[in-house]
Amino acid sequence: MEKPWAKQPRREVPDAELAVLKVLWDRGTATIREITDVLYPRGETAHYATVQKLLERLAARRCVDRRRDGRVHRYSPTVERDDLIRDRLHEAADKLCEGSLTPLLTQLVDGRRLAPEEIEALRDLVRRLDERESP
């Protein structure tokens, strides 16, 4: 069975680049300076250069888009947080569980205390899956 996530190019996003994406997901768009100020509140020139390099790498992987806004460039994410989460979880399931999501999900849920709204969200998910599978 072909996996839908296997068709798309892998977007390996190391933790440092993920931190930049998180800022962009929260803000929608941001300049290098704005991202640097969030990640390195007492940042120096080296931090600015680091964020600039991380954005270049993300742009090369088509995870961010850059557009000119006056004298500065504004960056925005082109990959959704949920898509990246899905890709990473499927990759983990492939590597650790021969593609099965059940052991992965079981470990995620058993390993922590869930809030009532999280439990309800899981129930809703199971209901939707049941409805989708029912004729």
Side-chain angles (χ1 to χ4, degrees):
M1 181 170 129
E2 189 170 329
K3 301 165 188 152
W5 64 91
K7 293 181 197 174
Q8 301 184 8
R10 290 260 185 230
R11 291 187 179 157
E12 300 295 328
V13 180
D15 289 345
E17 293 173 20
L18 184 58
V20 171
L21 276 175
K22 285 178 180 179
V23 173
L24 293 173
W25 286 327
D26 290 343
R27 291 178 170 238
T29 68
T31 65
I32 297 172
R33 171 58 52 212
E34 291 167 345
I35 297 168
T36 303
D37 289 347
V38 171
L39 297 178
Y40 306 100
R42 289 183 267 163
E44 300 171 7
T45 305
H47 294 125
Y48 183 93
T50 298
V51 170
Q52 184 174 24
K53 188 63 169 175
L54 293 170
L55 284 164
E56 287 173 8
R57 291 178 185 162
L58 286 165
R61 276 192 218 89
R62 297 187 318 255
C63 291
V64 298
D65 185 41
R66 180 181 79 172
R67 67 175 169 76
R68 186 171 276 292
D69 183 15
R71 297 183 64 199
V72 298
H73 287 104
R74 296 198 70 76
Y75 292 83
S76 57
T78 59
V79 62
E80 296 291 329
R81 185 186 311 244
D82 288 347
D83 292 340
L84 190 59
I85 290 169
R86 182 197 63 235
D87 290 349
R88 282 198 169 182
L89 288 176
H90 282 292
E91 184 179 326
D94 287 346
K95 285 181 182 178
L96 299 172
C97 311
E98 289 78 42
S100 174
L101 292 176
T102 303
L104 184 67
L105 294 172
T106 301
Q107 288 301 314
L108 286 170
V109 173
D110 279 348
R112 69 184 317 177
R113 186 178 184 98
L114 296 175
E117 58 271 9
E118 291 175 310
I119 293 170
E120 189 55 37
L122 289 172
R123 284 187 181 119
D124 288 343
L125 173 63
V126 170
R127 276 188 221 110
R128 285 195 317 268
L129 291 172
D130 280 344
E131 290 170 3
R132 190 170 71 188
E133 297 301 317
S134 297

